[in-house]
Amino acid sequence: MAFTDLSIAKDAKIMPIQVIGNQAGIPEDALELYGKYKAKINVDLLPPAEKLGKVVLVTAISPTPAGEGKSTVTVGLADAFKQLNESVIVALREPSLGPVMGVKGGATGGGFAQVLPMEDINLHFTGDIHAITSANNALAAFIDNQLHQGNPLNLDPRRITWKRALDMNDRALRQVTIGLGGPAQGIPRQDGFDITVASEIMAVLCLASSLEDLKERLAQMVIGYTYDKEPVLVRDLGVEGALALLLKDAFKPNLVQTIEGTPAIIHGGPFANIAHGCNSLMATNTARQLADIVVTEAGFGADLGAEKFMHIKSRKGGFNPDAVVIVATVRALKMHGGIAKTILNEANSDAVGRGMVNLAKHVDTIRQFGIEPVVALNRFITDTPEEIAEIMDWAKAEGVAIALTNVWEQGGKGGLELAKLVKEELERPTNFAFLYEETDSVEEKLRAIVQKVYGGADVLLSDQAQKQLANIKKYGWDELPICMAKTQYSLSDQPKLLGRPEGFTITIREIMPKLGAGFLVCLTGDIMTMPGLPKQPAALKMDVGADGEAIGLF
Amino acid sequence: MAFTDLSIAKDAKIMPIQVIGNQAGIPEDALELYGKYKAKINVDLLPPAEKLGKVVLVTAISPTPAGEGKSTVTVGLADAFKQLNESVIVALREPSLGPVMGVKGGATGGGFAQVLPMEDINLHFTGDIHAITSANNALAAFIDNQLHQGNPLNLDPRRITWKRALDMNDRALRQVTIGLGGPAQGIPRQDGFDITVASEIMAVLCLASSLEDLKERLAQMVIGYTYDKEPVLVRDLGVEGALALLLKDAFKPNLVQTIEGTPAIIHGGPFANIAHGCNSLMATNTARQLADIVVTEAGFGADLGAEKFMHIKSRKGGFNPDAVVIVATVRALKMHGGIAKTILNEANSDAVGRGMVNLAKHVDTIRQFGIEPVVALNRFITDTPEEIAEIMDWAKAEGVAIALTNVWEQGGKGGLELAKLVKEELERPTNFAFLYEETDSVEEKLRAIVQKVYGGADVLLSDQAQKQLANIKKYGWDELPICMAKTQYSLSDQPKLLGRPEGFTITIREIMPKLGAGFLVCLTGDIMTMPGLPKQPAALKMDVGADGEAIGLF
């Protein structure tokens, strides 16, 4: 195909953002323009909603390098609802610049199911992630400054847990020593940089319900421990006001549009491992205030993204999804069936059949939450009728609603069948239930996730995690939901165990209290919080024309 | 006075930026709005200018901790021209967030001579500095990635000159080691962070005349040397296109307004030591295209800021200032006369008389450039008539045009007399001449600056600087102008030598080729390129109200 995402985006007819805002019922005064096609929404100026919109959560099977096109389906589904004359808004995460420069080139859907202006959204957008980087590193500078200025808080430099952050793929910054060079240059200590989207501040921004809540959450973040092992919070430094000030504009949701002119609110983009992996509560709430149907997505597969959407975001937001879409592809199911990426283009119905177990597990999981999922089988040009039939037959036998989608090529039209099935689910009441309560013990919460969501046998805590859990209990932080940091590739904690592994035990290596975000991060295996660049970064193909035209975002 | 800069700014009547744009003759289509009161200017859509506006450069005596109010006078002078019905635009630098959070609290003029919206300009503004941080650190990540991926460029990790950057005051990042943690985490090496405004990319952005020139300058930046001591440029990495793409919006000048509704273009903010210290050439050119008079400023005293404005910016831009204002205050002259900051409030005409030598030297310097300067004596409430008379008498005797200004309290009205004197100079032809030519030898160029501008006896090169100069000659980089990195407090390289020292020798410690910026940075003494935070950072007083109102910027 001669089309690229960028060429399609450039040929698309984009409307002034006021037109989109007007269509979404946003008074012009509530729009703060960023150029002609982006705006921040001043939510204080929105009219009160008569009723709140229903939420469609788009999740997926366990991701593979074959790609599932979850964002593309999310956008295409919203466009399909628009074609059906529904009042709809799509709510998405903001792309991180690091992966864009590194491997992705762009992250705003694909083909004819994209959000615009894709160059802007993929580059600096409205500066939200930069504001988070600033706040994160201002806090780090305040911490090291107080160490340098006599350390009145008695902070143990070996026990500082707050790391610096950059919105960059930069492996050389994972482990650093800082404060070198003598008495005028601070206190030497070990430190490290995370990618900004892994910063707790990103999670805080995404879970706060108001500016006041934002400030309170910032104040509550743990930055380290004293020599007496007592926790030190941002509140103790007294800089939560300055951090909130740095974030005051970033906290406002951003309005853009899809290629088909559907309003899109793109706001916040926390990692789906170290954090909860979905767009901001502000964005979802704003979208629900404005539209009857809100289509949104969660990161990675349903074991990570959807589980956290339910247990963390929905719980904080006081709502639950009214329908869930699970995106699958023939290609990815073949990989779950044991086929290597290099021969995915060869027809192999048997492999599809073997890989179906992964989809089946995610369907089960969503059903456990009391929601009947709809499967979106996202078509690729190499799919054969036999391979597709393999999946369709399975769905029929299992009583699972399933629709073929072809939104990359056709936009909303390629998602009409899916939209109709989802609409049926939206009209049916759900029977939503959490799989654990916040008041359960940490061990019980972990077991619920591992057994019910991952399909594993049990959970083990490392010595370090046990010690950390004892402290967490001591400080009374144990009544928080769990945020699992696990490989996205497998239901287990072993990235190579594809399909539907069984009988496995998950080992919790570390438990990190994130009091600002309001969850306990439980690390399994090695979780990368600062990606690296590949040998040939996507950036090598990027350029800008003399007229300011973006080149090489794809 | 119960007024603060922030309270005055908040009470000011601010106009929609389209009104300001319209007043400046900018077609509405050429404005890319960032909220209601800020816009980027798409210069490709501006009408061609019949003639270019004249440039008024505002500089100062050697700065002291007493403060001269140079930005405030710059804004007030522009407002005064507006009151005189002149077509005028003020062109200023963007404040760096680091000092705002650290010591300054704000940097947008003061009192009734401010630019608005001051909170936005002092915080993230339109994201320009964040874009520069991103480009700077993307480049650093590409460098370390190529080291990690087999080092095809044969780059010597000990000879990498490109540093990372953050827009933060963070002394603990001045000297760091990176790439620790084993083979998967990059190549260990020494590194350091500069504040973003000290990044060569800031200087490049400020001196580029077009997007193509920007890309060419980025390609030309030296990042380090091979094991064979051959220079390695960004061009060799092949990422100049990606860097230019990251900077494409930051390269567009920003339009805001003064409290009195004068159009203000605020764009770029390079350090005045390690770089040339004035707003972008794009901003000045755009302002000249739109207005008859452009009032702009250069960093620090005339020995640093004005000298570089003439030799670097004007030379690249093909224009010269048509008038120069030197800002002085009674308080600062008293410090140059040997009085400590703590007793500045006590009247002391003798000290003023002794300190006059500093002003006299800067007047001489500007005259050497063939321009007759106008002195702005910026009033403070503690100034006595006797102290003021001391200065007025001197000016009369020396034939120096001088005006009292009181713009902090009165806005443009307090600068009317100054504006009238400047107008007289604008109507007189200048006899502008550079004090050195680019084709002079580096030693001759240095001697010209030291002897003619600083009033020193001679210049010495350290062994290291001599070795570096030999290489600079070898690579043919010696026909670039000089960018002196010297203390701003003294005409000499000794910060404590106030007034008008004589007979001193300046020692050049290091010469750093900045081929992208297009100058040779000559370091004298210890130049700080990453500031630290004070014991009580300004951030401690900052906050945001529930309605999003900024608190504690002053």
Side-chain angles (χ1 to χ4, degrees), chain A residues 134-384:
Chain A
S134 290
N136 185 100
N137 295 331
L139 175 54
F142 297 139
I143 292 169
D144 279 297
N145 187 54
Q146 92 84 39
L147 277 186
H148 177 78
Q149 307 277 7
N151 198 6
L153 292 177
N154 194 34
L155 199 54
D156 184 344
R158 303 163 304 177
R159 289 194 170 85
I160 293 172
T161 51
W162 191 259
K163 291 167 78 180
R164 287 174 166 80
L166 280 181
D167 186 19
M168 205 52 66
N169 282 17
D170 194 347
R171 71 170 68 70
L173 292 180
R174 285 175 192 154
Q175 293 186 35
V176 302
T177 51
I178 63 168
L180 305 177
Q185 332 283 5
I187 305 290
R189 66 178 185 90
Q190 230 185 320
D191 194 13
F193 284 70
D194 287 335
I195 190 163
T196 301
V197 291
S199 164
E200 184 175 357
I201 294 182
M202 173 60 92
V204 162
L205 183 120
C206 286
L207 288 168
S209 54
S210 68
L211 255 182
E212 274 156 300
D213 184 34
L214 178 78
K215 205 193 304 177
E216 177 56 29
R217 285 170 177 272
L218 292 167
Q220 200 61 20
M221 296 191 303
V222 177
I223 57 172
Y225 297 84
T226 66
Y227 282 103
D228 310 317
K229 301 190 189 166
E230 290 299 315
V232 181
L233 310 184
V234 168
R235 190 188 308 289
D236 301 316
L237 272 174
V239 295
E240 65 271 23
L243 301 186
L245 181 62
L246 285 171
L247 296 170
K248 76 181 172 69
D249 291 320
F251 189 58
K252 297 174 188 162
N254 306 296
L255 181 70
V256 288
Q257 63 192 284
T258 71
I259 284 189
E260 298 190 3
T262 305
I265 297 184
I266 302 195
H267 191 228
F271 252 28
N273 45 37
I274 195 89
H276 60 294
C278 33
N279 62 254
S280 75
L281 190 57
M282 281 299 287
T284 305
N285 284 346
T286 304
R288 292 184 71 208
Q289 199 175 337
L290 294 166
D292 295 340
I293 300 175
V294 176
V295 184
T296 189
E297 66 167 335
F300 297 147
D303 54 330
L304 283 166
E307 183 270 316
K308 295 176 185 178
F309 188 95
M310 314 289 193
H311 284 141
I312 298 173
K313 181 174 171 175
S314 294
R315 199 188 308 256
K316 292 288 161 199
F319 67 89
N320 60 265
D322 300 283
V324 173
V325 172
I326 303 176
V327 179
T329 60
V330 165
R331 294 161 63 85
L333 289 174
K334 278 198 271 192
M335 287 197 78
H336 281 294
I339 294 300
K341 193 185 170 189
T342 45
I343 52 167
L344 280 184
N345 288 347
E346 297 170 19
N348 192 333
S349 300
D350 287 353
V352 173
R354 287 195 303 276
M356 288 301 305
V357 290
N358 186 269
L359 173 57
K361 173 66 191 113
H362 292 299
V363 167
D364 281 356
T365 300
I366 299 304
R367 284 176 169 169
Q368 287 185 74
F369 281 103
I371 300 173
E372 184 58 34
V374 178
V375 173
L377 184 57
N378 191 26
R379 289 196 67 163
F380 274 68
I381 204 148
T382 50
D383 300 348
T384 66

Side-chain angles (χ1 to χ4, degrees), chain B residues 366-437:
Chain B
I366 300 302
R367 283 176 169 169
Q368 286 184 76
F369 281 103
I371 301 173
E372 186 55 36
V374 178
V375 172
L377 185 57
N378 190 26
R379 289 197 66 163
F380 274 69
I381 206 148
T382 51
D383 300 349
T384 66
E386 294 72 24
E387 290 172 320
I388 291 171
E390 187 79 28
I391 303 166
M392 291 299 181
D393 292 349
W394 167 87
K396 199 168 180 187
E398 299 289 325
V400 175
I402 187 166
L404 278 171
T405 58
N406 193 4
V407 295
W408 197 102
E409 209 173 293
Q410 300 182 346
K413 187 167 160 248
L416 285 174
E417 196 191 336
L418 176 64
K420 284 173 195 156
L421 292 181
V422 172
K423 189 81 209 295
E424 286 173 25
E425 291 306 324
L426 287 178
E427 280 158 8
R428 215 168 289 167
T430 62
N431 194 14
F432 183 81
F434 295 122
L435 303 186
Y436 67 78
E437 295 304 320

Side-chain angles (χ1 to χ4, degrees), chain B residues 98-429:
Chain B
V100 167
M101 302 305 283
V103 289
K104 280 188 171 176
T108 44
F112 289 91
Q114 285 189 64
V115 277
L116 302 176
M118 81 90 97
E119 310 96 281
D120 294 18
I121 300 170
N122 279 313
L123 294 172
H124 309 290
F125 199 22
T126 57
D128 296 344
I129 299 183
H130 291 322
I132 294 169
T133 304
S134 291
N136 185 101
N137 295 332
L139 176 53
F142 297 140
I143 292 169
D144 279 296
N145 187 53
Q146 92 85 41
L147 277 185
H148 177 79
Q149 308 275 7
N151 198 7
L153 293 176
N154 193 34
L155 199 54
D156 184 344
R158 303 162 305 178
R159 289 194 170 86
I160 293 172
T161 51
W162 191 259
K163 290 167 77 180
R164 285 175 167 81
L166 281 181
D167 187 18
M168 206 52 66
N169 283 15
D170 194 347
R171 70 171 68 72
L173 293 181
R174 285 175 192 153
Q175 293 185 37
V176 301
T177 51
I178 62 169
L180 305 177
Q185 332 283 6
I187 306 289
R189 67 180 185 89
Q190 231 185 318
D191 194 12
F193 284 71
D194 286 336
I195 191 164
T196 301
V197 292
S199 164
E200 184 175 358
I201 294 181
M202 174 60 93
V204 161
L205 183 118
C206 287
L207 289 167
S209 54
S210 67
L211 256 183
E212 273 156 301
D213 184 33
L214 177 79
K215 205 194 303 177
E216 177 55 29
R217 285 170 178 273
L218 292 168
Q220 202 60 20
M221 298 191 303
V222 177
I223 57 171
Y225 297 84
T226 65
Y227 282 103
D228 310 318
K229 300 190 190 166
E230 291 300 316
V232 180
L233 309 183
V234 169
R235 191 189 306 290
D236 301 315
L237 272 175
V239 295
E240 64 271 24
L243 301 186
L245 180 62
L246 285 171
L247 295 169
K248 76 182 173 71
D249 291 319
F251 189 58
K252 298 174 187 163
N254 306 296
L255 181 70
V256 289
Q257 63 192 288
T258 72
I259 282 189
E260 299 190 3
T262 306
I265 296 184
I266 303 196
H267 192 226
F271 252 28
N273 45 36
I274 195 89
H276 61 293
C278 32
N279 62 255
S280 75
L281 189 57
M282 280 300 288
T284 306
N285 284 346
T286 304
R288 293 184 70 209
Q289 198 174 338
L290 294 167
D292 294 341
I293 300 175
V294 177
V295 184
T296 189
E297 66 167 336
F300 297 146
D303 54 329
L304 283 166
E307 183 270 315
K308 294 177 185 179
F309 187 95
M310 313 290 193
H311 285 140
I312 297 173
K313 180 175 171 174
S314 294
R315 200 189 306 256
K316 293 287 163 199
F319 66 89
N320 59 265
D322 300 282
V324 172
V325 172
I326 303 176
V327 179
T329 60
V330 165
R331 295 161 63 84
L333 289 173
K334 278 197 273 194
M335 287 197 79
H336 281 293
I339 294 300
K341 194 184 169 188
T342 45
I343 53 167
L344 281 184
N345 288 346
E346 297 170 18
N348 192 333
S349 300
D350 288 353
V352 172
R354 287 195 303 276
M356 287 302 304
V357 291
N358 186 271
L359 173 57
K361 174 62 193 113
H362 292 298
V363 167
D364 282 357
T365 300
I366 300 302
R367 283 176 169 169
Q368 286 184 76
F369 281 103
I371 301 173
E372 186 55 36
V374 178
V375 172
L377 185 57
N378 190 26
R379 289 197 66 163
F380 274 69
I381 206 148
T382 51
D383 300 349
T384 66
E386 294 72 24
E387 290 172 320
I388 291 171
E390 187 79 28
I391 303 166
M392 291 299 181
D393 292 349
W394 167 87
K396 199 168 180 187
E398 299 289 325
V400 175
I402 187 166
L404 278 171
T405 58
N406 193 4
V407 295
W408 197 102
E409 209 173 293
Q410 300 182 346
K413 187 167 160 248
L416 285 174
E417 196 191 336
L418 176 64
K420 284 173 195 156
L421 292 181
V422 172
K423 189 81 209 295
E424 286 173 25
E425 291 306 324
L426 287 178
E427 280 158 8
R428 215 168 289 167

Side-chain angles (χ1 to χ4, degrees), chain B residues 506-547:
Chain B
I506 296 274
T507 304
I508 306 296
R509 206 162 45 92
E510 242 187 281
I511 308 184
M512 305 187 314
K514 301 286 181 186
L515 306 192
F519 49 63
L520 302 173
V521 171
C522 294
L523 285 179
T524 74
D526 282 328
I527 296 297
M528 184 70 73
T529 51
M530 171 53 96
L533 289 167
K535 197 156 191 162
Q536 300 289 326
L540 289 174
K541 296 193 178 144
M542 293 181 188
D543 203 351
V544 57
D547 58 349

